[in-house]
Amino acid sequence: KEGARVVFPVPSSSISAALPWTMVASTAKAYVLAAVVTAAALDPRDLTRARTRVPRPAWKGSHFESMSVTLNGHLVKMFPHTRPCSEWTSEELQSFQAMLHGHAHDELNAIYAQVSDSRRLHLTSLDAYHEHWREANALLVHHPHLREMHRDGHCHEAVMWLPPPA
């Protein structure tokens, strides 16, 4: 059995609309977009999904593992050029996240922040994230058994930051 992985849901019309509906650790494979995406004007459906806290039935599973398989299936259908989380290092994911940070939609983040939704950006700037990552990476030197969990956390967060496709 594989170790913990992160599952990413993807909305049908725009990637950031509901990313993530639910982000959970599971034994299913996890994928992160390997392509560069650009910010686009928000579709009204993105705003509706951002205000929705409960996923629609097509984005759920009957139990933990089936939900993981369902959500990863949606991601792979929408973005066939994905890479499993296990193929990334934390540092690669941090670089990917730094690129994504510049494409964040303030309107979506404001919606998430109003209700303390886990989809919101938790730090105020990219510099703050770089400092946070530097500190976390330094801790791994003394706690190497946490490397996989650390990487999976970045996978989880990277998908949360994906902007709507152009």
Side-chain angles (χ1 to χ4, degrees):
K1 214 171 185 185
E2 291 184 35
R5 299 291 183 264
V6 180
V7 175
F8 324 118
V10 178
S12 59
S13 67
S14 177
I15 195 161
S16 77
L19 279 175
W21 284 113
T22 318
M23 299 293 244
V24 295
S26 84
T27 57
K29 283 186 178 178
Y31 295 88
V32 170
L33 211 90
V36 173
V37 291
T38 59
L42 289 175
D43 183 300
R45 293 171 292 186
D46 295 332
L47 296 171
T48 298
R49 280 188 293 270
R51 291 181 186 100
T52 302
R53 306 238 5 213
V54 178
R56 295 169 297 180
W59 299 92
K60 294 181 178 182
S62 59
H63 53 78
F64 191 75
E65 190 161 335
S66 72
M67 177 184 61
S68 300
V69 170
T70 298
L71 297 177
N72 273 329
H74 285 295
L75 180 65
V76 172
K77 283 179 195 172
M78 287 190 69
F79 303 99
H81 302 291
T82 59
R83 287 172 48 196
C85 236
S86 61
E87 292 181 10
W88 293 79
T89 65
S90 294
E91 292 78 10
E92 289 172 329
L93 286 162
Q94 290 163 0
S95 293
F96 184 61
Q97 286 182 261
M99 185 273 307
L100 289 176
H101 192 274
H103 299 286
H105 280 272
D106 292 336
E107 194 170 359
L108 292 176
N109 198 52
I111 291 168
Y112 303 148
Q114 282 180 333
V115 294
S116 297
D117 191 301
S118 62
R119 295 175 282 182
R120 74 190 183 284
L121 291 175
H122 293 274
L123 301 177
T124 57
S125 69
L126 183 55
D127 286 340
Y129 277 101
H130 280 295
E131 178 61 19
H132 174 70
W133 297 336
R134 187 193 61 71
E135 292 171 4
N137 292 344
L139 288 173
L140 292 176
V141 171
H142 302 291
H143 304 283
H145 61 285
L146 298 176
R147 286 188 191 284
E148 186 175 316
M149 181 179 68
H150 179 69
R151 180 212 54 224
D152 290 350
H154 281 292
C155 268
H156 171 108
E157 193 171 51
V159 171
M160 293 175 72
W161 290 10
L162 290 170

